[in-house]
């Protein structure tokens, strides 16, 4: 089983990293011929950094829109962040990082433990909204429900292992840090890891691309200075030269 | 009509998810493989098999604490003092080393897994002198 | 009361979010180009090409390689539903394909089917669909029910702007010869004659002479409306509607009086007799650029030092956000002024410098409110601070009127509702869409009328003004309740050598 999971995770990591990198390169390489920032917008670069920060950390635009969606998705994402930080302990050797970092990882453990509930709660809220609000139901494809279910089961199986049936986390860490550990044959763990691998596999091909996408969104990341500074991309420049 | 199909689809998924969650909860009694080294620990070794102890020692200790503190029942086999008695190593001079000292029995895993132990803020970390 | 061939929605106290009702607007189809030259003049095939299926996909592929917005927006949507209740067209038509995400998905499902792994191999799972004739017609019908007002983009957590998607879709449709008559005919007119209305130079000259005579008759002052005057300081580029209809032309009179009082020489141009640029509506960079270059040519030809744009929403977007890109650099103009300037910025500066003698009481017969035009609000700026596009027009109005109130907070500023006629929808064959799209704004206006005694609504957009003039009567209001901001300025502005008429009323109200 460990062998199977080792293969699975090597594959999933490869697909995740390569796929995502290719997508990011694609986004970065695709030109933005016009200034299309949604105004009112910052007029300086630092202002844009601040706007992006508010968008990514507080979900500012969503907050303006609907408070229910905002609260569920914000709770889910922030909880997920804590949970992910908590999981660093499985991939980092204590001696490989400065003591402060390790202390921080230790400190975050209890928060990450309970954040798991926030994660699942947020997902349940989002799922209910998808089912109950007719407008959202209309725009949902099967994958939209499955994505929530998948994340939900990742969270649920994780909570099971944290609070109900523990697994051998030292062995898991040895497995993931290539120290020859055998994965314990615990059912929640198998569910947990399989779904996480699946999530990584579909990441570059799905709406999870909203993660890199937001940083490349021209309506949010542009500086509002078209009059002050001429904005022109190569293909537009070429058009100009060809016609003049 | 369209809405009906929608609801049906949703219902199927709901049922499936409930079933799957039961499954997750039910089939999770992990056991130690028969005849393995860890199973051998049963015979006069630790209070429970190694694989069990690795996963559940915190629960056993917590349970034992409740038995003692709330009920005054000291008959449980899971006692922190016993852990310390067996697992605290000795230095070159023969003095016992605290179990939570760096790289010692408790610390080696707890540090590795980023779990703080607070037991020894109150409890003994070396065997009782006889 | 105008008569309609469709049910005119009744205004309620609030605009409630309706339950989805599929297909209510599927029958609304803006007229398709019938004269091939309306397409070919713009560089598109004259009629729907045989191999439209492959050509459309080719174009989609080309566009997503040239516009990061399109590529990112097609990928990033998580179907959170945040935008679903934000579009004025959905709110009153209930048609889910008029929800921003519903509209986007018409294109997104095809993108997924042909250009993504998931859509190629698991189409059902991710909602990917083949490009069929039905889908193509859906594109045509529903992408011509989007006014590209960007209201959805304000509320999208990823800033997805349906306007970008609808522009791309229209460009795809144009590229296969499936263009919209209204937009393409107008752009062809600009290319040929110089403005949207197809007014030839002599006609404009005639109108302007008439205005000059009116000025002399009314005020005894020779206020000039110069055309093609070389060496003038300022080139004013204004929507051609300003030469033609009420209340637009009252705005033009306002500009003329302001320039006269400021003592700044100015001119309009027959070459650039149109501020509007419908090239944006059809998403065609090439056509937009061709139209925008007229402004550069005129400025060079007349040797002006500054360019000022008149009251027009999408024109201000093209001017403010795109002009420098499309037709720049403008290093031959006076670097002390932004290029271009909005007429409201221009007037606001003069007011702040105290160079205009304003009698607010001239507008006392009105209680005013201001309709933030979508393109001005969400795609541009005025002044040097974010949000200046909201403050400056209001400052101007408040400087010339005693009675001003805002409409409900959720319907102004960046959350403003579109008038319902923007983005190339200002055509009679889309009346049903336009009247429905106006409902949220009309509701807010009606509430302001009932609660705050508002009598008139000012706007700085030629399309808004035309749309409201036409649509107000559907809701039992008067068409002249919509006014130009510079009409108000014109009313209040006392010309220095003006025939005295109200000397006793001269003292200013101090609040």
């Amino acid at each position: 089983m460990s062998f199977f999971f080792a293969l699975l995770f090597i594959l999933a990591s490869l697909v995740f990293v390569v796929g995502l990198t290719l997508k990011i390169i694609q986004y970065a390489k695709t030109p933005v011929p016009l200034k299309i920032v949604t105004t009112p917008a910052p007029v300086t670069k630092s202002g844009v950094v601040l706007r992006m920060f508010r968008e990514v950390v507080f979900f500012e635009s969503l907050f303006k829109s609907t408070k229910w969606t905002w609260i569920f998705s914000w709770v889910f994402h922030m909880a997920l962040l804590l949970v992910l930080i908590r999981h660093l302990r499985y991939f980092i050797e204590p001696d490989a990082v400065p003591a402060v970092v390790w202390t921080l990882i230790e400190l975050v453990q209890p928060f990450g433990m309970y954040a798991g509930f926030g994660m699942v709660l947020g997902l349940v809220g989002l799922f209910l909204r998808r089912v109950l609000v007719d407008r959202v139901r209309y725009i949902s494809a099967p994958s939209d429900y499955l994505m929530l279910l998948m994340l939900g089961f990742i969270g649920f199986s994780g909570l099971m292992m944290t609070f109900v049936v523990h697994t051998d986390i030292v062995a898991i860490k040895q497995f993931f840090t290539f120290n020859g550990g055998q994965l314990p044959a615990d059912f929640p763990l198998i569910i947990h890891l399989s779904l996480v691998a699946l999530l990584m596999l579909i990441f570059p091909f799905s709406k999870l691309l909203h993660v890199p996408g937001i940083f490349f969104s021209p309506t949010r990341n542009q500086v509002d200075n078209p009059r002050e500074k001429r904005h022109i991309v190569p293909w537009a420049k070429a058009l100009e030269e060809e016609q003049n | 009509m369209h809405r009906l199909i929608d609801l049906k689809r949703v219902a199927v998924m709901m049922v499936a998810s409930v079933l799957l969650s039961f499954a997750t909860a039910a089939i999770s009694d992990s056991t130690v493989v028969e005849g393995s080294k860890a199973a051998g620990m049963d015979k006069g070794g630790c209070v429970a098999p190694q694989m069990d102890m690795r996963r559940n020692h915190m629960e056993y200790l917590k349970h034992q604490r409740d038995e003692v503190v709330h009920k005054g029942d000291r008959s449980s086999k899971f006692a922190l003092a016993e852990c310390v008695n067996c697992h605290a190593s000795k230095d070159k001079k023969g003095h016992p080393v605290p179990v939570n000292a760096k790289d010692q029995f408790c610390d080696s895993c707890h540090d590795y897994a980023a779990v703080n132990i607070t037991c020894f803020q109150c409890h003994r970390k070396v065997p009782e002198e006889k | 009361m105008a008569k309609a061939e469709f049910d005119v929605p009744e205004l309620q106290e609030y605009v409630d979010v309706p339950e989805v009702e599929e297909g209510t607007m599927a029958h609304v189809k803006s007229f398709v180009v019938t004269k091939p030259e309306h397409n070919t003049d713009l560089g598109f095939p004259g009629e729907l090409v045989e191999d439209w299926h492959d050509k459309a996909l080719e174009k989609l592929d080309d566009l997503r390689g040239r516009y990061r917005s399109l590529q990112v927006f097609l990928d990033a949507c998580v179907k959170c539903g945040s935008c679903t209740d934000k579009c004025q067209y959905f709110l009153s038509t209930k048609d889910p394909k008029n929800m921003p995400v519903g509209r986007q998905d018409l294109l997104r499902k095809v993108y997924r089917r042909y250009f993504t792994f998931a859509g190629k191999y698991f189409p059902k799972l991710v909602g990917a669909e083949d490009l069929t004739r039905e889908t193509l017609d859906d594109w045509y019908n529903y992408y011509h029910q989007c006014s590209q007002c960007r209201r959805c983009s304000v509320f999208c957590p990823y800033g997805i702007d349906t306007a970008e998607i609808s522009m791309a879709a229209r460009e795809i449709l144009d590229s296969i010869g499936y263009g919209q008559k209204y937009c393409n005919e107008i752009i062809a007119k600009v290319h040929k004659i110089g403005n949207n209305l197809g007014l030839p130079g002599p006609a404009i000259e005639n109108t302007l002479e008439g205005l000059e005579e009116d000025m002399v008759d009314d005020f005894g002052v020779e206020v000039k409306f110069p055309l093609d005057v070389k060496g003038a300081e300022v080139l004013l580029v204004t929507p051609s509607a300003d030469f033609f209809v009420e209340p637009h032309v009252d705005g033009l009179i306002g500009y003329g009086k302001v320039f006269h009082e400021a003592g700044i020489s100015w001119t309009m141009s027959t070459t650039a007799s149109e501020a509007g640029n419908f090239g944006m509506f059809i998403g065609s960079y090439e056509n937009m650029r061709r139209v925008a270059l007229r402004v550069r040519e005129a400025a060079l030809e007349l040797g002006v030092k500054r360019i000022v744009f008149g009251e027009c929403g999408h024109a201000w977007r093209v001017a403010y956000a795109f002009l420098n890109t499309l037709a720049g650099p403008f290093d031959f103009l006076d670097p002390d002024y932004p290029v271009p300037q909005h007429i409201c910025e221009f007037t606001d500066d003069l007011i702040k410098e105290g160079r205009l003698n304003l009698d607010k009481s001239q507008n006392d017969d009105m209680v005013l409110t201001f309709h933030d035009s979508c393109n001005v609000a969400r795609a541009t700026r005025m002044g040097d601070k974010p949000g200046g596009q909201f403050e400056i027009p209001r400052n101007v109005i408040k400087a010339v009127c005693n009675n001003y109130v805002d409409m409900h907070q959720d319907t102004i500023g960046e959350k403003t509702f579109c008038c319902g006629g923007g983005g190339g929808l200002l055509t009679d064959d889309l009346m049903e869409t336009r009247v429905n799209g106006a409902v949220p704004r009309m509701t807010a206006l009606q509430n302001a009328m009932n609660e705050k005694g508002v009598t008139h609504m000012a706007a700085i957009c030629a399309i808004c003004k035309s749309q409201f003039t036409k649509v107000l009567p559907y809701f039992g209001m008067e068409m002249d309740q919509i006014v130009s901001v510079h009409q108000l300025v014109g009313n209040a502005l006392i010309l220095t050598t003006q025939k005295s008429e109200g000397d006793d009323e001269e003292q200013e109200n101090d609040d």
Side-chain angles (χ1 to χ4, degrees), chain C residues 188-196 198-199 270-274 294:
Chain C
K189 245 186 286 185
V190 181
H191 289 333
K192 266 207 186 103
I193 305 167
N195 53 61
N196 289 358
L199 303 171
T270 41
T271 315
S273 52
E274 178 58 64
R294 306 180 69 88

Side-chain angles (χ1 to χ4, degrees), chain C residues 14-33:
Chain C
Y14 303 100
V15 179
D16 278 327
V17 180
E19 289 223 1
V20 165
E21 203 178 314
E22 280 182 58
T24 63
M25 294 300 272
H27 62 282
V28 175
K29 180 166 196 166
S30 187
F31 293 159
V32 182
V33 166

Side-chain angles (χ1 to χ4, degrees), chain C residues 282-423:
Chain C
I282 63 166
S284 165
Y285 189 97
E286 291 78 4
N287 278 287
M288 187 160 66
R289 177 163 183 270
R290 231 174 114 190
V291 174
L293 279 174
R294 306 180 69 88
V295 177
R296 182 187 178 87
E297 278 163 33
L300 283 169
E301 186 188 292
L302 299 172
V304 295
K305 298 198 184 68
R306 301 162 65 176
I307 299 176
V308 174
F309 269 72
E311 296 180 4
C312 183
H314 85 281
W316 182 237
R317 179 175 189 191
V318 178
Y320 170 84
F322 304 160
L323 195 66
N324 201 1
T325 301
L326 297 168
F330 288 97
D331 39 16
F332 56 91
L333 297 173
D334 187 339
D336 290 343
Y337 298 94
V339 181
Q341 252 185 318
H342 194 280
I343 187 72
C344 284
E345 294 180 301
F346 181 81
T347 303
D348 188 50
D349 284 347
L350 294 171
I351 292 172
K352 281 189 183 130
E353 290 163 20
R355 286 167 69 183
L356 301 180
N357 182 10
L358 300 165
D359 175 12
K360 290 183 175 191
S361 68
Q362 295 295 324
N363 287 313
D364 275 354
D365 54 331
M366 296 182 259
V367 177
L368 282 142
T369 190
F370 179 66
H371 165 75
D372 285 292
S373 297
C374 45
N375 274 301
V376 176
R378 289 184 284 257
T380 73
R381 172 162 54 97
M382 289 183 203
D384 46 17
K385 281 188 220 55
Q389 68 269 37
F390 310 130
E391 280 162 32
I392 288 177
R394 283 177 174 76
N395 288 347
V396 170
I397 298 173
K398 286 175 189 165
V400 299
C401 301
N402 282 314
N403 314 310
Y404 176 81
V405 288
D406 268 324
M407 287 178 280
H408 191 278
Q409 283 302 315
D410 288 346
T411 71
I412 60 169
E414 67 170 354
K415 294 180 181 173
T416 188
F417 279 103
C418 170
C419 62

Side-chain angles (χ1 to χ4, degrees), chain A residues 8-193:
Chain A
L8 180 64
F9 270 94
I10 289 168
L11 178 71
S13 308
L14 267 177
V15 170
F16 177 77
V17 172
V18 174
L20 203 55
T21 309
L22 287 177
K23 264 296 176 187
I24 289 174
I25 290 173
Q26 182 196 24
Y27 291 159
K29 273 192 164 173
T30 311
V32 188
L34 293 164
K35 282 276 190 178
I36 58 166
V37 62
T38 308
T39 60
V43 294
T44 58
K45 267 212 175 103
S46 50
V48 168
V49 171
L50 198 69
R51 180 188 203 177
M52 193 56 89
F53 178 82
R54 292 198 309 268
E55 200 64 84
V56 172
V57 178
F58 301 120
F59 302 2
E60 187 181 33
S61 298
L62 192 56
F63 184 80
K64 279 182 203 166
S65 176
T66 95
K67 299 290 183 283
W68 280 113
T69 314
W70 179 82
I71 190 80
F72 289 136
S73 57
W74 193 77
V75 165
F76 161 67
H77 282 89
M78 290 306 125
L80 178 63
L81 178 69
L82 280 174
V83 168
L84 284 176
I85 296 175
R86 169 167 150 87
H87 277 68
L88 286 177
R89 66 179 179 154
Y90 295 117
F91 306 98
I92 298 176
E93 300 274 1
D95 301 332
V97 290
V100 198
V101 176
W102 196 249
T103 310
L104 282 176
I105 292 177
E106 275 182 11
L107 280 176
V108 92
Q109 295 304 316
F111 298 101
M113 268 171 82
Y114 295 104
F117 291 106
M119 196 181 138
V120 173
L121 204 79
L123 287 166
V124 169
L126 289 173
F127 190 89
L128 287 178
R129 180 178 154 79
R130 202 168 277 294
V131 176
L132 296 177
V133 179
D134 67 336
R135 302 188 308 280
V136 190
R137 196 165 60 230
Y138 176 86
I139 56 172
S140 300
S143 59
D144 296 313
Y145 296 100
L146 289 174
M147 199 75 81
L148 290 174
L149 282 178
M150 183 163 67
L151 284 161
F153 276 104
I154 290 173
F156 180 73
S157 53
L159 285 173
M160 286 300 293
M161 288 185 282
T162 306
F163 293 101
V164 185
V165 280
H166 304 295
T167 184
D168 186 348
I169 60 169
V170 169
I172 293 171
K173 178 162 184 172
Q174 282 176 327
F175 172 79
F176 278 108
T177 49
F178 308 104
N179 285 328
Q182 292 287 310
L183 274 183
D186 295 340
F187 187 74
L189 181 69
I190 292 169
I191 294 284
H192 194 74
L193 293 182

